[in-house]
Every structure is written in structure tokens, then in C-alpha cells.
Amino acid sequence: MNERLTHFTEVSHCSPQQLQELLDLAHKISQDIRAFENTRTGRMLVNLFYEASTRTRVSFEAAAKRLGMHVINISATGSSVEKGETLTDTFYTIQAMGPDCIVVRHPEEGNAAKLAELAEPGVHVINAGDGTAAHPSQALLDALTLKQSFQDFGEIRLVMAGDIRHSRVARSAIRLLQMLGVGEIRLAGPPEFMPGDGTTRGTRVFNDLDSAVEGANAIMMLRIQRERISGLDIPDADEYHREWGLNAERLGLASQGCHVLHPGPMNRGVEIASGVADGSQSLIRRQVRNGLYSRMALLLTLTRAQA
Ligand code: CP
């Protein structure tokens, strides 16, 4: 690796070479996970989650445990956050107990990066999602899933559809896939769910899903991020599904064998039909599995200096 990774808060803080090396390592782990087990015995990982999570929190825990690390899980609910403790004080408190890695999910943008600046040498901060800004380890597992399905990133014509505006998954995936040389990214969603910032740079924007899907060879559907929406009407679920949901008929407009992805959690019958989510073209469960491999690769890489 050209420079050692200390923290992982945003994909654009990594070089393309570092990202390729993380993906190569995750791929190697996927082929022989046992060879990597217990290679970080005695190290400690703390999951510090201020928002709900199933996949991210559990896969960081599973990844760390496969590597032989101790894991401590802290949720804002039930912790001294409820007594008014600030994020910074909570971080310093956890850091004083000597963890190697602190995985942070927080509703406000930029907080993982702020904590990384406060970290002592040997403590690695990982962003598990900050507001609408970034979810870099999700991008890593999405890229691994695509890497396993295509010979080259340049071949990929990926549609990302739904609530792009409030999606940290979309922002991180777009940035990472562009750094890896993806062929084309098409964004599709209702106008109120399209971002007004630089997220769309280098992408093609569509205002109907059928046109976006035509000829695509990968489609990633995104849920409506209800918890981040204020000042906008939440669309009616049935109407949204008719216009913006991925069903079998729409999928038929894509290239034959087009892969279907979703970061989860899914809202079946809203952005994706059950038949598509569970169908033969779906890579959704593989994404979850790849979350384990990608996060093992990340933990191995961050803690390499101390190995
Ligand atoms: N994809 C994702 O971040 O899922 P969780 O919210 O369940 O962690």
C-alpha cells in the first residue's frame, strides 16, 4: 500500500491503490476465510452506534470476532448519552479504555471525521454512516459485489434509483465506483429525491426509471430515507412502487442477466418487488456476505501497523 490507512471515514480520503488493495484483500478473504481467522487476537473493537443498524453493526462485530478481536457494542439508547454526555466526551471515555478500532454511526455529517482527529495514535476510527454524507464500508462491499460479477469495472452500466438525495450509500458508492473506473452511473428518482449538490457529477440523470434501466447491467435500488426527510411529503407507497419500484417487467428492460443490488434494509413492495429481491438476478444476500469480508479486510488493513 502506498500510504498506511489510519482511519476510514470517507472513500475520497483513500487513494485508488489503497481501495484496490482493500478490495483484493476482501476478495482473498472471501475465497478462504479460515486463513485469516484469529490473526488479530486480543485486539479490541468498539461499535458506537447513535442510529439503528442490523447489517453494519453485526458485520463489524462478526468480522472482528473472526479475527479474534474483543467486541464491545454501545448504542446511544441506554448509554450516558441519555444523560446528556456529548459525542466527544463519549468518544474520549471509550478511547481511555484502549480500543484498537472505534466504529461510529451518527446522524450528523462529518462527525466520524471529527472523532478521527481526536483519536490517539493506534486508535482507528471507521465511519459506519454519518447523516446523508458517507457510508464508506457499504461502498466497499458494493464494489466487491460488482467486482465479483464483472471482468472489469469499465464494463459496468449501473443504475442507482430511488431517494438519492438522502442516501449516504449512494454518495459513497458513486465516489468509490468513479475512482475505480466504473463505465457508467445512471441516477433515477423523483425530482424531490435528486440531490442538489455535486453528487450527480459524472453521472447521467434520468427522470423515469424505465429509460434509466434500459440496457443497464446492474441496478441498485435505494429505500426512501424517511428518518432524514423533513419538509417533503413522503410519497404514497403504492403510487411510488408503480412509478419508481423495480418489478420483473422493468427489470426485463435491462440487459439480460442484469444484477440487482440493494444495500438494505429493503421496503418490499415500495422500491423493490419481492419477486425481484428474491429472484435469480438478485445479489442482495451476497452483498451482506461481502460486508463480512470487506470489513475483515478493513480491520486487518487498519491494524496492520501494530501486527
Ligand atoms: N446497509 C446498512 O447500512 O444497513 P444497516 O442500517 O442495517 O446497517
Side-chain angles (χ1 to χ4, degrees):
M1 197 163 273
N2 51 358
E3 203 180 306
R4 212 175 282 287
L5 265 188
T6 308
H7 305 290
F8 192 67
T9 57
E10 161 62 57
V11 290
S12 58
H13 296 167
C14 305
S15 66
Q17 188 188 338
Q18 286 175 322
L19 294 166
Q20 282 288 1
E21 289 183 18
L22 278 169
L23 287 175
D24 290 345
L25 179 55
H27 185 62
K28 262 191 213 159
I29 295 169
S30 76
Q31 292 180 316
D32 184 9
I33 193 168
R34 287 184 182 279
F36 297 86
E37 282 178 347
N38 299 317
T39 52
R40 292 294 184 270
T41 308
R43 302 290 179 80
M44 191 202 294
L45 176 139
V46 177
N47 272 323
L48 174 60
F49 277 58
Y50 284 71
E51 284 187 335
S53 170
T54 298
R55 280 147 286 271
T56 312
R57 191 189 63 72
V58 174
S59 65
F60 268 113
E61 179 167 359
K65 285 182 170 168
R66 287 275 191 164
L67 296 172
M69 299 174 78
H70 303 293
V71 178
I72 296 171
N73 290 305
I74 304 171
S75 303
T77 316
S79 76
S80 287
V81 172
E82 293 191 334
K83 300 177 203 162
E85 189 161 60
T86 64
L87 174 65
T88 309
D89 284 336
T90 301
F91 179 79
Y92 281 135
T93 301
I94 292 165
Q95 181 165 253
M97 297 179 204
D100 297 277
C101 298
I102 303 179
V103 182
V104 187
R105 173 170 284 191
H106 198 274
E108 284 167 36
E109 295 179 13
N111 271 339
K114 277 183 207 152
L115 297 182
E117 284 171 17
L118 305 176
E120 291 167 359
V123 177
H124 309 285
V125 175
I126 300 169
N127 183 4
D130 59 332
T132 60
H135 192 351
S137 66
Q138 176 71 43
L140 207 56
L141 75 89
D142 292 336
L144 176 63
T145 307
L146 291 168
K147 182 181 163 80
Q148 291 167 344
S149 306
F150 292 92
Q151 297 285 328
D152 189 278
F153 281 105
E155 287 171 30
I156 300 171
R157 297 181 300 281
L158 171 70
V159 175
M160 300 181 85
D163 180 7
I164 313 284
R165 178 172 168 184
H166 303 101
S167 175
R168 56 196 178 201
V169 170
R171 284 189 176 79
S172 285
I174 292 167
R175 281 194 285 270
L176 175 55
L177 293 171
Q178 287 178 337
M179 288 171 81
L180 295 170
V182 72
E184 186 180 347
I185 298 179
R186 307 173 184 178
L187 303 181
E192 65 274 24
F193 287 164
M194 291 308 287
D197 56 17
T199 304
T200 56
R201 197 173 303 124
T203 69
R204 289 177 66 195
V205 176
F206 290 75
N207 54 17
D208 77 288
L209 188 53
D210 289 356
S211 311
V213 161
E214 218 173 289
N217 52 20
I219 303 173
M220 182 189 291
M221 298 307 297
L222 300 166
R223 74 180 171 92
I224 300 171
Q225 303 262 318
R226 289 170 179 273
E227 68 276 30
R228 295 187 212 293
I229 295 177
S230 60
L232 283 177
D233 289 335
I234 307 275
D236 170 77
D238 291 338
E239 201 180 307
Y240 186 86
H241 186 64
R242 271 193 300 281
E243 204 164 339
W244 294 105
L246 186 64
N247 55 27
E249 196 184 338
R250 275 206 174 107
L251 183 55
L253 299 171
S255 288
Q256 199 173 2
C258 174
H259 300 291
V260 175
L261 296 93
H262 193 307
M266 288 184 280
N267 289 131
R268 290 170 181 261
V270 185
E271 75 276 9
I272 192 164
S274 270
V276 172
D278 301 327
S280 60
Q281 289 166 247
S282 172
L283 298 179
I284 296 169
R285 285 178 203 147
R286 187 180 298 176
Q287 284 175 274
V288 176
R289 187 80 188 157
N290 282 337
L292 173 67
Y293 306 139
S294 304
R295 288 165 178 137
M296 283 177 75
L298 192 52
L299 298 178
L300 279 169
T301 301
L302 288 170
T303 56
R304 190 175 283 160
Q306 305 151 268

